[in-house]
Amino acid sequence: MADVLKKVPVREQDPKVRATNFKEVCLGYNAEEAVEEAQRCLGCKNAKCVEGCPVSINIPAFIAEVKEGKFEEAYKVISESSSLPAVCGRVCPQENQCEGKCIRGIKGEAVSIGKLERFVADWARENEIKPTPATEKKAQKVAVIGSGPAGLTCAGDLAKLGYDVTIFEALHKPGGVLVYGIPEFRLPKDGVVIPEVENVKSLGVKLETDVIIGKSVTIDELMNEEGFDAVFIGSGAGLPKFMGIPGEAACGVFSANEYLTRNNLMKAFDENYDTPIARGDKVVVVGGGNVAMDAARTALRLGAETHIVYRRSEEELPARVEEVHHAKEEGVIFDLLTNPVEIIVGEDGWAKGVKCIKMELGEPDASGRRRPVEVPGSEFEIECDLVIMSLGTDPNPLIPSTTPALEISRKGGIVATEDVGQTSMPGVFAGGDAVTGAATVILAMGAGKDAAKGIHEYLSNK
């Protein structure tokens, strides 16, 4: 019998092979492995794992069905709470959420809740199992701005309640950050994201692409002229941040947002597409989050020697441990306790290196992490021909600038209540990165779910 204190191992592509392709790294469980892993679950009555899930999936119930090999029943349990299980099973930081609360994890390894969710969702897709649409339809119309995780979740939950929901997406493909921000090797687009979007549409949700709210139509026009009774703003955070250091405006300096959008949404990695993308020989990625790992691993696959430059130590890296581990396996070089102070620019106007300074950790700052302090006289240079800044993103100001009644925070996010996402405008709700700035997929989903409850309550009392 297998050791119940240890997870059933998950199959992955060999690091040397996957570093040369954009196919999915993790291959997931098969049915036998999923059932074996599910057997490790203690089936707690007071399940802490559910408390750790931002969308409150009934985790013990779905795993109990997997134990019995009842995968369709497991999918029904998950789809009551989540509109994007195949996505969540791949990109959510389970180690800090559901799995971080797992009782099995106290004396051994936590149950692989994320990998089991992924298996169930993939099995349902392969067997053409769809979520159940509402039997009764309501006349009230809701507009959802953005087809990322917050928008898809809000739309799906409202459709299950019978509302007439239309999603408006600014880009030519639905999915938001799921299609433009996360690489193919972590989240396949045609194989996973698009089918998840189609599942939401199967609930009766309408979806219009190439509609830029604030340009094509304003929120006031949606409500006053097009007859929408409520609006949810889930437009994400697509405005990149930069350091403001000398040389940052040089050619060859990109935001991670632009670099990943070209590669992911516009398929620059595929030789059959004509999307231009800079393929550096030596690339420096500044930052330590999941997006930095995505950019570095993408540059590596495009043929570059790739460095991550991060001002704190590995212990403080905000990226998932799994992503850091995969990056190291593939050959990404980590220059830690290092901070850029200048981009070195050649006579041709292109970046040719990064001047850095070594750092040491001092007392904790407001985030609880130890504050990095410069080490005097420790400057050095890293030669490179491409620099990718991965320092986070802020909400795009377009919607607030065209909606005067919408209250905005000092950082540019839409002000909304924490419980249901109510904004300063009656009938207008917001959630996800448009409110908080860049965060995780699952937190955006949680915000979309909360807003759906708020919209339902608002329209029920209207």
Side-chain angles (χ1 to χ4, degrees):
M1 183 178 174
D3 185 351
V4 295
L5 296 181
K6 291 188 176 296
K7 295 179 178 182
V8 174
V10 182
R11 291 164 290 116
E12 296 177 345
Q13 273 200 80
D14 179 86
K16 291 182 179 178
V17 175
R18 71 181 190 238
T20 65
N21 67 53
F22 281 84
K23 295 176 182 176
E24 192 167 13
V25 168
C26 180
L27 304 178
Y29 286 143
N30 59 29
E32 184 181 348
E33 292 164 340
V35 171
E36 184 181 346
E37 179 62 21
Q39 300 290 344
R40 300 182 58 240
C41 177
L42 298 170
C44 306
K45 290 183 179 178
N46 182 23
K48 300 294 183 185
C49 55
V50 178
E51 295 176 14
C53 175
V55 295
S56 302
I57 292 171
N58 189 339
I59 295 167
F62 103 74
I63 292 181
E65 300 292 359
V66 176
K67 283 182 184 180
E68 302 296 323
K70 297 177 180 178
F71 305 140
E72 183 171 352
E73 295 304 314
Y75 178 71
K76 288 178 181 177
V77 173
I78 295 172
S79 61
E80 287 173 5
S81 303
S82 176
S83 296
L84 306 170
V87 170
C88 288
R90 286 168 165 83
V91 303
C92 287
Q94 290 97 4
E95 64 276 10
N96 298 326
Q97 294 172 337
C98 54
E99 293 178 20
K101 301 273 188 180
C102 177
I103 300 300
R104 174 63 80 190
I106 294 175
K107 291 186 177 179
E109 295 179 345
V111 175
S112 291
I113 299 168
K115 297 295 188 291
L116 290 174
E117 181 183 17
R118 166 188 166 148
F119 166 77
V120 170
D122 288 355
W123 182 93
R125 181 180 67 251
E126 290 160 8
N127 288 274
E128 300 183 354
I129 308 297
K130 297 281 186 181
T132 306
T135 53
E136 295 184 16
K137 301 293 185 181
K138 294 178 169 64
Q140 291 155 307
K141 293 169 57 180
V142 181
V144 171
I145 302 170
S147 65
L152 289 170
T153 299
C154 185
D157 280 16
L158 289 169
K160 289 173 189 174
L161 292 168
Y163 289 101
D164 181 351
V165 184
T166 303
I167 298 175
F168 296 98
E169 168 56 49
L171 298 175
H172 64 283
K173 277 192 176 181
V177 69
L178 305 176
V179 294
Y180 73 73
I182 303 176
E184 187 78 8
F185 55 79
R186 275 219 295 144
L187 186 62
K189 307 302 172 271
D190 293 338
V192 175
V193 177
I194 298 307
E196 295 274 72
V197 173
E198 290 300 318
N199 280 347
V200 172
K201 289 170 67 178
S202 75
L203 295 169
V205 174
K206 297 183 283 291
L207 197 152
E208 296 186 23
T209 56
D210 299 307
V211 179
I212 303 174
I213 304 299
K215 281 194 172 182
S216 308
V217 63
T218 65
I219 288 176
D220 290 313
E221 287 169 345
L222 286 174
M223 300 186 80
N224 298 331
E225 297 176 21
E226 298 199 16
F228 285 97
D229 299 285
V231 174
F232 172 70
I233 305 170
S235 50
L239 191 65
K241 297 178 183 178
F242 288 90
M243 294 185 72
I245 58 177
E248 210 168 19
C251 297
V253 180
F254 296 87
S255 70
N257 208 39
E258 177 187 353
Y259 186 77
L260 290 171
T261 298
R262 285 179 181 273
N263 204 68
N264 300 334
L265 177 67
M266 303 171 74
K267 299 186 184 294
F269 67 87
D270 190 331
E271 292 180 356
N272 295 317
Y273 285 75
D274 294 328
T275 306
I277 192 167
R279 295 173 180 252
D281 293 321
K282 193 170 183 179
V283 175
V284 167
V285 178
V286 181
N290 289 326
V291 176
M293 300 304 140
D294 287 344
R297 295 170 70 195
T298 296
L300 183 87
R301 283 162 170 77
L302 293 176
E305 176 189 303
T306 308
H307 292 246
I308 289 271
V309 171
Y310 179 62
R311 62 184 183 155
R312 290 184 166 97
S313 71
E314 183 168 347
E315 197 172 310
E316 287 81 25
L317 279 167
R320 293 184 68 190
V321 172
E322 181 179 274
E323 302 309 321
V324 175
H325 172 67
H326 282 159
K328 284 183 173 180
E329 280 189 325
E330 291 163 9
V332 173
I333 299 162
F334 283 73
D335 295 296
L336 302 172
L337 289 169
T338 301
N339 203 39
V341 293
E342 180 183 352
I343 307 298
I344 303 165
V345 186
E347 292 181 2
D348 59 358
W350 280 81
K352 67 174 188 177
V354 180
K355 183 178 180 182
C356 299
I357 190 166
K358 298 299 291 183
M359 311 292 284
E360 60 185 10
L361 296 178
E363 295 301 312
D365 61 14
S367 71
R369 295 179 297 173
R370 293 170 66 192
R371 185 188 302 276
V373 180
E374 292 184 353
V375 177
S378 64
E379 291 88 347
F380 69 102
E381 295 180 4
I382 300 176
E383 182 185 333
C384 66
D385 51 7
L386 200 67
V387 182
I388 301 171
M389 294 292 183
S390 181
L391 307 168
T393 51
D394 288 326
N396 191 301
L398 179 60
I399 289 176
S401 70
T402 56
T403 318
L406 211 54
E407 185 182 349
I408 305 303
S409 71
R410 182 174 56 84
K411 292 185 176 180
I414 298 167
V415 174
T417 60
E418 282 191 24
D419 54 348
V420 295
Q422 172 69 60
T423 72
S424 55
M425 290 179 67
V428 178
F429 296 73
D433 293 2
V435 172
T436 62
T440 62
V441 166
I442 190 64
L443 289 177
M445 288 178 64
K449 196 168 193 66
D450 290 342
K453 292 177 187 173
I455 291 169
H456 177 51
E457 184 178 337
Y458 169 77
L459 293 177
S460 298
N461 296 326
K462 192 173 178 183

